Amino acid sequence: MIESTEEVILYRVGDVVFIDGGIVVMNAGDASILWYSDRGELRQVVGGKGHGPGEYETLSAIRPFDDGIVAWDLSLRRLTFYSATGDLLHVVSVREGGAWRLVGQIGDGLLALAHAPQSDVLERRFLRVDET
């Protein structure tokens, strides 16, 4: 059971990621990401609609990445990296156009993105993400 002293309305829950010490929930309805403790206590809420760092136009996926998570904004074609506690680490834009989908981490600092061009062929490309 999730308990909170704050009222939290989840609308269009997308991905749920289990990380050390808790659960991270993607609330696509208001483009927010919520961190819960393993006891169900709300610890952190980030995101929201917008175009600034840590904001999303179309929050479409979250995945585990290293010790935290990475979030994907489909419309802005932007990856946002967070620590395990919800601190914003950095933001990376994907310059190539098209419909990209975040697949997940496939190695140390390596993310897989799937690109769906106009044809029926699914093309996989890889993006190396450095901490700098």
Side-chain angles (χ1 to χ4, degrees):
M1 178 170 79
I2 294 178
E3 297 178 12
S4 175
T5 57
E6 298 179 39
E7 183 176 305
V8 176
I9 298 173
L10 297 176
Y11 170 63
R12 290 185 47 221
V13 171
D15 298 326
V16 175
V17 173
F18 296 90
I19 60 173
D20 190 30
I23 301 167
V24 183
V25 178
M26 182 184 94
N27 189 20
D30 69 356
S32 65
I33 303 170
L34 299 90
W35 269 258
Y36 290 93
S37 73
D38 55 1
R39 297 172 43 114
E41 300 161 331
L42 182 63
R43 290 189 171 163
Q44 175 81 303
V45 179
V46 300
K49 294 283 186 180
H51 294 93
E55 297 176 329
Y56 305 95
E57 188 173 305
T58 307
L59 179 59
S60 60
I62 62 171
R63 299 286 187 271
F65 187 81
D66 290 342
D67 293 331
I69 68 155
V70 58
W72 174 243
D73 186 315
L74 179 65
S75 296
L76 298 176
R77 291 191 315 271
R78 190 167 66 188
L79 297 160
T80 303
F81 295 84
Y82 294 95
S83 71
T85 57
D87 296 323
L88 182 102
L89 299 175
H90 57 277
V91 177
V92 176
S93 294
V94 176
R95 293 190 184 108
E96 286 188 53
W100 289 91
R101 182 175 57 86
L102 178 61
V103 176
Q105 186 170 3
I106 58 171
D108 185 32
L110 189 64
L111 280 176
L113 296 171
H115 185 254
Q118 299 297 335
S119 69
D120 293 335
V121 177
L122 182 66
E123 177 183 343
R124 293 202 184 255
R125 297 187 184 177
F126 300 96
L127 175 67
R128 179 95 185 153
V129 178
D130 294 317
E131 294 295 322
T132 59

